[in-house]
Amino acid sequence: MNKINYQKETDKIIKKIEEEGSAPKLMLHSCCAPCSSYTLEYLSDFFEISVFYYNPNIYPKEEFEKRFAEQKRLIEALHAKNRISLIKGEYNPNEFFEIAKGLENAKEGFERCFKCYRQRLEKTAFLAKEMGFDYFCTTLSISPLKNSQKINEIGFETAERFGVKWLPSDFKKKEGYKRSIELSREYDLYRQDFCGCIYSKRAKEEEN
């Protein structure tokens, strides 16, 4: 199956937004400040954004809180054309452990991760629909280690289920990942060395 260039799909939507002169409301799921840095810099020119920090996968709780604090600090420091607000999701790691059952030893980046993408996107879509947002999206595709094709596949499926538009994306394109590293340095952001869950933490520790 041919891979879709989702950055081109984003460009088409943004071009239409510019022509209409509007600023649609976007519910943007974020896993951490570094991944959201370029994404917010880029999208805040075209959307009014609420960042939804919902990550029951992150382990331990201290890590969850540290990443949230950095997310909040970044949003407060960014100079954005349109408004950016922040919503903190509830931290309930049992939600993640439930979907990870039977996949505890699965290879990083595959089925367990796909379930984690879906869990977070479904919660984001639900909130976007409930609050009357125009679109929902996630920062996850900025990482070279994340499967952007799968993220978008799940995004479109979730959009159909919840009745709110998915903003297709592959934020690593146009040197987005490189820019996120630059912005992380500029704002002195904490950059974690593992994805977030206890299984990714263990995998990272085994590498070292």
Side-chain angles (χ1 to χ4, degrees):
M1 188 173 72
N2 291 331
K3 287 187 175 182
I4 298 171
N5 186 327
Y6 286 106
Q7 177 60 53
K8 287 186 177 179
E9 298 304 307
T10 313
D11 290 341
K12 290 176 187 176
I13 292 170
I14 285 176
K15 183 179 179 182
K16 186 177 179 182
I17 289 169
E18 288 182 304
E19 289 171 353
E20 293 174 350
S22 61
K25 294 172 69 177
L26 171 67
M27 183 69 69
L28 179 67
H29 164 263
S30 176
C31 54
C32 62
C35 285
S36 73
S37 58
Y38 163 73
T39 311
L40 289 172
E41 180 185 65
Y42 170 43
L43 294 180
S44 62
D45 278 352
F46 313 105
F47 296 89
E48 182 180 314
I49 301 172
S50 279
V51 173
F52 183 36
Y53 181 81
Y54 169 69
N55 300 289
N57 57 310
I58 293 177
Y59 177 88
K61 186 177 182 182
E62 290 75 17
E63 179 74 16
F64 174 88
E65 295 294 348
K66 186 172 184 178
R67 294 191 194 190
F68 174 75
E70 286 294 270
Q71 182 70 81
K72 184 173 183 289
R73 185 170 69 84
L74 173 66
I75 289 172
E76 289 170 350
L78 277 174
H79 300 290
K81 177 181 175 181
N82 291 304
R83 180 174 174 267
I84 303 174
S85 60
L86 176 61
I87 301 171
K88 184 181 185 181
E90 183 181 358
Y91 181 63
N92 185 355
N94 288 331
E95 291 179 357
F96 170 71
F97 289 132
E98 188 63 33
I99 64 161
K101 277 183 180 176
L103 296 167
E104 292 88 349
N105 297 315
K107 188 177 179 182
E108 191 71 14
F110 291 92
E111 196 56 39
R112 187 184 64 242
C113 297
F114 298 162
K115 282 180 173 286
C116 188
Y117 300 164
R118 186 177 296 279
Q119 181 180 58
R120 290 182 282 174
L121 287 178
E122 285 181 350
K123 186 73 79 171
T124 306
F126 172 81
L127 190 61
K129 179 68 174 179
E130 188 177 62
M131 295 179 68
F133 276 61
D134 301 294
Y135 291 90
F136 75 104
C137 190
T138 179
T139 63
L140 291 170
S141 69
I142 199 168
S143 170
L145 301 176
K146 298 289 187 295
N147 187 325
S148 61
Q149 296 292 310
K150 194 68 179 178
I151 290 167
N152 282 281
E153 177 187 316
I154 293 169
F156 280 116
E157 289 172 3
T158 304
E160 188 172 346
R161 179 181 167 192
F162 287 90
V164 61
K165 288 184 285 188
W166 166 250
L167 179 67
S169 62
D170 191 353
F171 294 121
K172 70 179 71 64
K173 300 285 188 180
K174 293 186 172 180
E175 298 196 323
Y177 178 66
K178 180 183 176 183
R179 179 61 180 155
S180 75
I181 294 172
E182 293 171 352
L183 287 167
S184 294
R185 291 197 190 106
E186 182 180 332
Y187 289 98
D188 192 27
L189 297 176
Y190 161 63
R191 290 181 64 87
Q192 62 282 353
D193 63 357
F194 68 105
C195 177
C197 74
I198 190 171
Y199 311 114
S200 64
K201 184 175 175 66
R202 287 173 181 168
K204 189 67 180 180
E205 289 169 351
E206 287 170 6
E207 286 179 10
N208 299 332

